[in-house]
Amino acid sequence: MAELTAAAFEEAQARGEERLRGPRAESAHYDAGRNRVIVLLTTGIEVGFPPDVVEGLAGAAAADLAEIEVEAFGLGLHFPRLDADLYVPALLEGILGSKRWMAEHSPAAVLGAKGGRARGGAKASAARENGKRGGRPKKVSA
């Protein structure tokens, strides 16, 4: 294990102090009527978001969302019934999960998946027309 130098400790302490100067969570609760997690920031601003857009909260029952703990000097939100944690600065930047989760759940990915599953006259007609022309073009190797 690497030894912590005084310089490294001072740098880490400075980063921590800088983070504490930004907006942090003062309190948080789940509003079941609006299906929103509401976070009151130290700046006085309230931020709300639907739990289904956040990794670890998607598909959770209202009872599981009802218990929220503010942790780490307001930098974290913990949902004990779900064993889920959110980092408030990342949340404020729109980071709602891991890169993989966000790629699979982004609005573009969701719309693309819906379009791909669509069954209808226009899609079937286009597929028939494409088939009349020989179908999908063959891949040409370089």
Side-chain angles (χ1 to χ4, degrees):
M1 189 165 159
E3 187 176 322
L4 181 64
T5 65
F9 179 79
E10 288 176 13
E11 287 176 19
Q13 189 173 21
R15 284 193 309 271
E17 289 172 359
E18 178 66 28
R19 184 57 74 189
L20 289 175
R21 282 194 278 273
R24 294 174 285 128
E26 194 169 285
S27 65
H29 69 277
Y30 176 63
D31 182 340
R34 294 176 26 204
N35 188 32
R36 294 283 188 271
V37 174
I38 308 295
V39 182
L40 175 62
L41 301 174
T42 53
T43 59
I45 295 173
E46 281 189 346
V47 176
F49 59 89
D52 286 337
V53 301
V54 179
E55 184 175 16
L57 305 183
D64 294 332
L65 296 166
E67 190 177 341
I68 306 172
E69 299 170 353
V70 176
E71 296 183 335
F73 303 103
L75 295 175
L77 299 178
H78 179 65
F79 295 77
R81 294 182 180 189
L82 300 168
D83 194 26
D85 295 291
L86 300 179
Y87 184 53
V88 173
L91 181 68
L92 295 175
E93 291 177 19
I95 300 171
L96 307 174
S98 65
K99 286 182 182 182
R100 180 177 180 172
W101 191 88
M102 288 185 61
E104 293 172 359
H105 294 85
S106 70
V110 171
L111 286 174
K114 282 183 181 180
R117 286 191 304 265
R119 304 224 187 266
K123 186 175 179 180
S125 175
R128 280 192 296 277
E129 285 299 313
N130 191 33
K132 289 178 188 176
R133 297 187 191 118
R136 186 179 298 263
K138 303 288 185 233
K139 291 185 179 180
V140 179
S141 59

